[in-house]
Amino acid sequence: QVQLVESGGGLVQPGGSLRLSCAASGDISNAFAMAWYRQAPGKQRELVAVISSGGSTNYVDSVKGRFTISRDNTKNTMYLQMNSLKPEDTAVYYCNVRRLGLGPPAYNYWGQGTQVTVSS
């Protein structure tokens, strides 16, 4: 059973930076996709960034050019580097690691989330 733990959230001024980490307790090197989601109060959870097993990345338009998703399979960890943060980036950020529809093992794991607050 894989456990995901996010860290790195906190309070930051607009224009500042944060680096989020998501550490997995087990081997996730065979995952199809690893992603960061976020959910602000009163809003739906949205996909922020995703990185595939092949290394391709995609971002929601609002963070393009500011956020970078990456992974380190040797450490079973993925990261979200967030630069030029804006108040609208305030949300709880969740990591997600999944392997679905590809045969066993199948999984869809979520972390507990880490709070990011961007405010003056």
Side-chain angles (χ1 to χ4, degrees):
Q1 199 82 358
V2 172
Q3 301 286 324
L4 303 179
V5 180
E6 300 98 335
S7 62
L11 175 65
V12 65
Q13 295 277 89
S17 298
L18 285 173
R19 180 176 180 257
L20 305 184
S21 299
C22 175
S25 63
D27 182 15
I28 57 170
S29 62
N30 65 350
F32 177 74
M34 291 159 276
W36 287 96
Y37 289 75
R38 67 186 180 188
Q39 188 167 22
K43 295 186 177 181
Q44 295 281 84
R45 187 173 299 186
E46 69 170 345
L47 178 65
V48 178
V50 60
I51 184 167
S52 73
S53 59
S56 62
T57 59
N58 284 285
Y59 302 88
V60 67
D61 285 346
S62 60
V63 309
K64 287 181 178 177
R66 301 188 296 120
F67 291 10
T68 303
I69 187 171
S70 61
R71 57 179 167 85
D72 185 341
N73 287 343
T74 65
K75 297 180 179 180
N76 285 329
T77 302
M78 67 170 177
Y79 307 92
L80 185 67
Q81 178 66 47
M82 305 186 295
N83 299 326
S84 301
L85 283 162
K86 304 175 180 179
E88 51 262 44
D89 295 319
T90 296
V92 177
Y93 284 71
Y94 300 89
C95 64
N96 172 256
V97 180
R98 57 184 178 264
R99 177 187 168 92
L100 300 172
L102 302 174
Y107 48 80
N108 186 19
Y109 297 115
W110 291 89
Q112 292 298 305
T114 185
Q115 176 71 49
V116 172
T117 302
V118 185
S119 176
S120 299

